[in-house]
Coordinates of all heavy atoms in Angstrom, one line a residue:
G485 N -145.8 -5.6 107.1 CA -144.9 -5.0 107.8 C -145.2 -3.7 108.5 O -144.5 -2.9 109.0
E486 N -146.5 -3.5 108.4 CA -147.1 -2.1 109.0 C -147.9 -2.5 110.2 O -149.0 -1.7 110.5 CB -147.9 -1.5 107.9 CG -147.2 -1.0 106.8 CD -146.4 0.3 106.9 OE1 -146.5 0.9 108.1 OE2 -145.7 0.8 106.1
G487 N -147.6 -3.4 111.0 CA -148.4 -3.9 112.2 C -148.5 -2.6 113.1 O -149.7 -2.6 113.7
E488 N -147.5 -1.9 113.4 CA -147.7 -0.8 114.4 C -148.7 0.2 113.8 O -149.4 0.8 114.7 CB -146.3 -0.2 114.7 CG -146.3 0.9 115.7 CD -145.0 1.4 116.0 OE1 -143.9 0.7 115.7 OE2 -144.8 2.5 116.5
A489 N -148.5 0.5 112.5 CA -149.5 1.6 112.0 C -150.8 1.1 112.0 O -151.8 1.9 112.3 CB -149.1 1.9 110.5
V490 N -151.1 -0.1 111.7 CA -152.5 -0.7 111.7 C -153.0 -0.7 113.3 O -154.3 -0.4 113.4 CB -152.5 -2.2 111.2 CG1 -153.8 -2.8 111.3 CG2 -152.1 -2.1 109.6
S491 N -152.2 -1.1 114.2 CA -152.6 -1.0 115.5 C -153.0 0.3 115.9 O -154.0 0.5 116.7 CB -151.5 -1.6 116.4 OG -151.2 -3.1 116.1
E492 N -152.2 1.3 115.6 CA -152.5 2.7 116.0 C -153.7 3.2 115.3 O -154.5 3.8 116.1 CB -151.3 3.7 115.5 CG -151.5 5.0 115.9 CD -150.3 5.9 115.5 OE1 -149.3 5.3 115.0 OE2 -150.5 7.2 115.5
L493 N -154.1 2.7 114.1 CA -155.3 3.1 113.4 C -156.4 2.5 114.2 O -157.4 3.2 114.4 CB -155.2 2.6 112.0 CG -156.3 2.9 111.1 CD1 -156.5 4.4 110.9 CD2 -156.1 2.3 109.7
R494 N -156.4 1.3 114.5 CA -157.4 0.6 115.3 C -157.6 1.4 116.6 O -158.9 1.5 117.1 CB -157.2 -0.9 115.5 CG -157.2 -1.8 114.3 CD -156.8 -3.1 114.6 NE -158.0 -4.0 114.8 CZ -158.6 -4.3 116.0 NH1 -158.0 -3.8 117.1 NH2 -159.7 -4.9 116.1
R495 N -156.6 1.6 117.3 CA -156.7 2.2 118.6 C -157.4 3.6 118.6 O -158.3 3.9 119.4 CB -155.4 2.4 119.3 CG -154.7 1.2 120.0 CD -153.6 1.5 120.9 NE -152.6 2.2 120.3 CZ -151.5 1.7 119.6 NH1 -151.5 0.2 119.6 NH2 -150.6 2.3 119.1
S496 N -157.1 4.3 117.5 CA -157.8 5.6 117.5 C -159.2 5.6 117.2 O -159.9 6.4 117.8 CB -157.0 6.4 116.4 OG -157.3 6.0 115.1
I497 N -159.6 4.6 116.4 CA -161.0 4.5 116.1 C -161.7 3.9 117.4 O -162.9 4.4 117.8 CB -161.3 3.5 114.9 CG1 -160.6 4.1 113.7 CG2 -162.7 3.2 114.7 CD1 -160.4 3.1 112.6
I498 N -161.1 2.9 118.0 CA -161.8 2.4 119.3 C -162.0 3.5 120.3 O -163.0 3.6 120.9 CB -161.0 1.2 119.7 CG1 -161.1 0.1 118.8 CG2 -161.4 0.8 121.1 CD1 -160.2 -1.1 119.1
Q499 N -160.9 4.4 120.5 CA -161.0 5.4 121.4 C -162.2 6.3 121.1 O -163.0 6.9 122.1 CB -159.7 6.2 121.4 CG -158.6 5.5 122.2 CD -157.2 6.2 122.0 OE1 -157.1 7.3 121.4 NE2 -156.3 5.7 122.6
Y500 N -162.3 6.6 119.8 CA -163.5 7.5 119.4 C -164.7 6.9 119.6 O -165.7 7.5 120.3 CB -163.4 7.8 117.8 CG -164.4 8.7 117.4 CD1 -164.0 10.2 117.2 CD2 -165.7 8.4 117.1 CE1 -165.0 11.0 116.6 CE2 -166.6 9.3 116.5 CZ -166.3 10.6 116.4 OH -167.2 11.5 115.9
V501 N -164.9 5.6 119.3 CA -166.2 4.8 119.7 C -166.4 4.9 121.1 O -167.6 5.0 121.5 CB -166.0 3.3 119.2 CG1 -167.3 2.6 119.5 CG2 -165.9 3.4 117.6
D502 N -165.4 4.5 122.0 CA -165.6 4.4 123.4 C -166.0 5.9 123.9 O -166.9 6.0 124.9 CB -164.4 4.0 124.1 CG -164.2 2.5 123.8 OD1 -165.1 1.8 123.4 OD2 -163.0 2.0 124.1
S503 N -165.4 7.0 123.4 CA -165.7 8.3 123.8 C -167.3 8.7 123.6 O -167.9 9.2 124.4 CB -164.8 9.3 123.2 OG -165.1 10.6 123.5
W504 N -167.7 8.3 122.3 CA -169.0 8.6 122.0 C -170.0 7.8 122.9 O -171.0 8.2 123.4 CB -169.4 8.2 120.6 CG -170.8 8.7 120.1 CD1 -171.9 7.9 120.2 CD2 -171.2 9.9 119.8 NE1 -173.0 8.7 119.8 CE2 -172.5 10.0 119.5 CE3 -170.4 11.2 119.6 CZ2 -173.2 11.1 119.1 CZ3 -171.2 12.4 119.2 CH2 -172.5 12.3 118.9
R505 N -169.7 6.5 123.1 CA -170.5 5.6 124.0 C -170.6 6.2 125.4 O -171.7 6.2 126.1 CB -170.0 4.2 124.0 CG -170.8 3.4 125.0 CD -170.4 1.9 124.6 NE -169.0 1.6 124.7 CZ -168.4 0.3 124.5 NH1 -169.3 -0.6 124.2 NH2 -167.2 0.2 124.5
A506 N -169.5 6.8 125.9 CA -169.4 7.3 127.3 C -170.4 8.6 127.3 O -171.1 8.9 128.2 CB -168.0 7.8 127.6
T507 N -170.3 9.4 126.1 CA -171.2 10.6 126.1 C -172.8 10.1 126.2 O -173.5 10.7 126.9 CB -171.0 11.4 124.8 OG1 -169.6 11.7 124.8 CG2 -171.8 12.6 124.7
V508 N -173.0 9.1 125.4 CA -174.4 8.6 125.4 C -174.9 8.1 126.8 O -176.0 8.3 127.2 CB -174.7 7.6 124.3 CG1 -176.1 6.9 124.4 CG2 -174.4 8.1 122.9
N509 N -173.9 7.4 127.5 CA -174.2 6.9 128.8 C -174.4 8.0 129.7 O -175.3 7.9 130.7 CB -173.1 5.9 129.2 CG -173.0 4.7 128.5 OD1 -173.9 4.3 127.8 ND2 -171.8 3.9 128.5
L510 N -173.7 9.0 129.7 CA -173.9 10.2 130.6 C -175.2 10.9 130.4 O -175.9 11.2 131.3 CB -172.7 11.2 130.3 CG -172.6 12.3 131.4 CD1 -172.4 11.9 132.8 CD2 -171.5 13.2 131.1
A511 N -175.6 11.0 129.0 CA -176.9 11.7 128.7 C -178.1 10.7 129.2 O -179.0 11.3 129.7 CB -177.1 11.8 127.3

């Protein structure tokens, strides 16, 4: 019953991962 909480958790991690990857690509 916590689908929204789990989705939000996944999104926050994916955003962090994508942000780090963008930093590496810029470097």
Side-chain angles (χ1 to χ4, degrees):
E486 295 281 358
E488 185 174 341
V490 174
S491 296
E492 182 180 347
L493 184 60
R494 291 179 92 262
R495 278 196 303 271
S496 66
I497 298 166
I498 290 172
Q499 287 173 359
Y500 185 98
V501 174
D502 288 345
S503 178
W504 188 266
R505 181 165 50 182
T507 302
V508 173
N509 289 342
L510 187 59

